Every structure is written in C-alpha cells, then in structure tokens.
C-alpha cells in the first residue's frame, strides 16, 4: 500500500497544477459550480439543469458568482416570468464593488399579460450610470429560454441576446472618457418587486394574486479571467490584461476589438426596429449629449 503514496501525491500535485493552468477560463452549465444563492435561499428550486427563482409578497431572490472576473464572456439562458409580470424586475448583471463601481446591466421589466417585456440596459463606470437604453425583443422571452450574454474586453463591452449584439460600450479613453478595465466583477442575477417604476413608469402595480412570479435559468457559462481573492488586485490586473504569448486570451484577439461587419448590421437592425429609448437621444435629460454618445458608431 505504501507504494501508492507517492503516486497519489504526484497526481495531487498534477491536479493542482492543471487547475491553476486552467484558471482564467471557467465554463460550466451547472449553477452550483459557478454560482451560489445570495439571499432568500427558500425561494430557489432546482430541477436537473434548471434553477428557478421566485418572487412572492414575502421576498424576491438573488444569486451571485462564486468568483470575480476581469474580461471574458458570461452567458445565462433565462425564461422570464410568464403571464402578468407587471411590477417585477429580473436582472442579470456584472458588477464590481465599492462606491466607484463598474456595472453592466440587463434588467427585464415585467408587463401586464400580452404586453411585451422591455429590456433595459445600463452601464456604470466609476460609480456613474445614467446610460439607460430600452428595447423590446423580437420574441416572447417568457415562452422559452434565450441566452443573454456580456462580452467584456479592453476595447468594448457587448450586450448580446441569442448572440445578436444589442448594445456596445466602446473604450473611448483617447477622448478622455473613463472605461471599466481594472476592477474585477462578480456576476449576479435577482428578481424583485419594483412596481414604483418598472411598468409604465410605476403606474401599473404588482398583482400579488398572480404570485409567485418565477424566473427560470439554465445554461450557465463563464469563460473569463478569474481573479482569486487571495491575489493582489494589481497582480490580477496584470495577469488578466497580459496580451499575446502564452497568456493570450481569445477575447484579446484583434477580431474581438470591435464588432464584425455582420454584427454591426445586426446591431443597426436592433436599434432601428427594437430600441424604444436611448439616453443619448433624451434631450430633456441631457440638453448636451453625453460625450460618449457623439463617438459611438450607430
């Protein structure tokens, strides 16, 4: 038996080495490998690869990634609350911590039965948001699972729905505009009651007789540069931003620095046919257009 000790020690060391080599690209379809409930644990239900989260008049619910990341791509397939979902908000977002946090948001605003869900996106940089866009979708997001993704690298943040880009936030540091590039971010989702603003500006309230409101999730994927808590922030930044060589990440490839021609056409189509609000065009809120609005390619 003693002879097996060195072998298992060796395989243990090898296992640790492989785990470390793989860090930076984690992908999984299982909720519990990548995420954990963050509140209202009794509002979660697990059915095989599916995870369901419910909102009732006691509580909403939320979950968060076990790790934080800097650059990469995060995707989740979500089936939104069916029927009368007015007053409810289901959010899927990435965020860093602290008062000057960065954040990329998908917020799905529920509606009365038969009315389309609205999707609000927002980008916070150094604690400042106010970059809302709203769109309706080209499908009913309550009838089936659709993938919602965030691609983040040093050149751009791309919001995607079923791999179609619906929003791009470009790096315009050369114009003196700050860009989120040195804070690691967690991945989060939550469902809550926001009937003070979510549906028709708060005119339509949540009808609790239709509770519980259930959002279903599957297809959890994170392919990103993991930032271990035990590693100093400056070292995580260095490791996750290393360009080229063995440390080259797919999202740093030149082709990822901007949309492809096909994707640009897709984005134009989304903006032309499905965008219902764009902060860049809201002259009552912004008599002078925000600087980044003048430079984004539409």
């Amino acid at each position: 038996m003693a002879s097996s000790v060195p072998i298992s020690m060796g395989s243990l060391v090898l296992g640790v080495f492989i785990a470390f080599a793989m860090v930076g690209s984690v992908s999984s379809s299982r909720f519990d490998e990548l995420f954990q409930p963050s509140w209202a644990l009794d509002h979660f239900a697990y059915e095989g690869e599916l995870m369901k989260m419910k909102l009732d008049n006691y509580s909403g619910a939320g979950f968060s990634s076990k790790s934080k990341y800097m650059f990469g791509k995060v995707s989740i397939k979500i089936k939104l609350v069916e029927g009368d979902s007015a007053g409810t908000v289901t959010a899927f977002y990435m965020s860093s911590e602290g008062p000057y946090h960065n954040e990329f948001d998908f917020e799905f605003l529920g509606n009365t039965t038969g009315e389309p869900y609205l999707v609000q996106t927002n980008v916070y940089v150094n604690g400042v948001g106010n970059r809302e866009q709203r769109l309706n979708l080209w499908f009913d997001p309550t009838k089936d699972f659709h993938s919602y993704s965030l691609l983040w690298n040093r050149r751009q943040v791309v919001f995607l729905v079923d791999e179609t880009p619906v929003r791009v936030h470009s790096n315009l540091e050369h114009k003196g505009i700050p860009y989120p590039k040195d804070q690691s971010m967690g991945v989060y989702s939550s469902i809550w009651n926001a009937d003070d603003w979510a549906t028709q500006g708060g005119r339509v309230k949540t009808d609790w007789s239709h509770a519980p409101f259930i959002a279903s999730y599957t297809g959890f994927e994170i392919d990103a540069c993991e930032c271990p808590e035990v590693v100093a922030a400056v070292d995580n930044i260095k490791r996750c931003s290393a360009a080229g060589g063995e440390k080259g990440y797919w999202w740093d490839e030149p082709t990822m620095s901007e949309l492809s021609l096909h994707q640009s056409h897709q984005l134009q189509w989304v903006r032309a046919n499905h965008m219902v609000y764009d902060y860049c065009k809201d002259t009552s809120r912004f008599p002078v257009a925000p600087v980044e609005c003048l430079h984004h390619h539409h």
Side-chain angles (χ1 to χ4, degrees):
M1 281 305 291
S3 66
S4 70
V5 173
I7 296 166
S8 50
M9 277 307 289
S11 59
L12 179 69
V13 170
L14 184 64
V16 168
F17 175 76
I18 290 169
F20 190 74
M22 288 293 291
V23 85
S25 182
V26 187
S27 189
S28 169
S29 59
R30 287 182 57 85
F31 174 77
D32 57 357
E33 282 172 26
L34 298 173
F35 294 95
Q36 58 202 11
S38 27
W39 44 287
L41 275 63
D42 59 345
H43 281 51
F44 286 74
Y46 304 91
E47 299 169 12
E49 295 281 289
L50 288 191
M51 190 277 291
K52 297 183 171 184
M53 209 160 50
K54 75 176 178 185
L55 161 69
D56 56 26
N57 50 0
Y58 297 102
S59 175
F63 64 83
S64 59
S65 58
K66 293 179 178 178
S67 299
K68 299 222 173 5
Y69 304 91
M70 203 177 309
F71 309 126
K73 187 177 181 184
V74 178
S75 295
I76 296 186
K77 292 192 169 91
I78 310 174
K79 186 163 85 167
L80 290 159
V81 177
E82 285 192 68
D84 181 355
S85 57
T88 70
V89 173
T90 307
F92 163 50
Y93 60 105
M94 292 184 75
S95 183
S96 62
E97 289 172 2
Y100 302 107
H101 78 294
N102 300 326
E103 189 176 320
F104 317 136
D105 291 327
F106 278 104
E107 289 185 307
F108 303 95
L109 314 182
N111 222 324
T112 40
T113 309
E115 293 286 313
Y117 250 85
L118 283 181
V119 182
Q120 176 167 291
T121 61
N122 204 353
V123 175
Y124 286 76
V125 186
N126 297 341
V128 180
N130 301 322
R131 296 183 179 90
E132 296 87 355
Q133 292 180 358
R134 286 188 180 188
L135 48 131
N136 52 43
L137 294 165
W138 48 96
F139 53 82
D140 181 344
T142 70
K143 291 289 179 256
D144 215 336
F145 287 93
H146 291 268
S147 79
Y148 302 94
S149 310
L150 292 161
L151 166 68
W152 173 34
N153 60 32
R154 286 172 294 172
R155 307 299 321 148
Q156 59 178 0
V157 181
V158 185
F159 293 70
L160 303 120
V161 175
D162 289 335
E163 293 302 316
T164 296
V166 299
R167 178 174 189 159
V168 176
H169 184 84
S170 306
N171 184 331
L172 297 169
E173 287 178 303
H174 62 285
K175 305 277 185 193
I177 299 169
Y179 180 79
K181 67 174 200 307
D182 49 18
Q183 295 181 37
S184 62
M185 300 174 91
V187 186
Y188 304 90
S189 183
S190 52
I191 182 169
W192 80 95
N193 176 41
D195 66 6
D196 53 330
W197 64 271
T199 306
Q200 294 181 31
R203 284 191 293 277
V204 181
K205 300 299 180 189
T206 303
D207 181 348
W208 293 108
S209 71
H210 293 160
F213 302 100
I214 295 171
S216 306
Y217 296 80
T218 191
F220 303 90
E221 286 182 49
I222 298 179
D223 188 353
C225 185
E226 195 172 337
C227 294
E229 305 269 349
V230 293
V231 177
V234 62
D235 293 321
N236 274 327
I237 291 169
K238 203 174 290 180
R239 192 174 52 80
C240 291
S241 325
E246 284 177 48
K247 287 214 181 87
Y249 294 113
W250 65 265
W251 53 84
D252 282 332
E253 298 287 329
T255 52
M256 291 287 142
S257 63
E258 58 184 16
L259 298 186
S260 69
L261 190 59
H262 175 60
Q263 287 178 315
S264 299
H265 290 156
Q266 287 181 311
L267 180 60
Q268 283 169 358
W269 174 80
V270 169
R271 293 183 60 88
N273 296 288
H274 293 281
M275 183 165 284
V276 295
Y277 175 82
D278 182 2
Y279 77 106
C280 281
K281 301 204 166 87
D282 189 338
T283 50
S284 60
R285 271 178 82 194
F286 304 103
V288 177
V291 188
E292 71 264 21
C293 295
L294 309 173
H295 300 284
H296 273 167
H297 311 299
H298 292 325

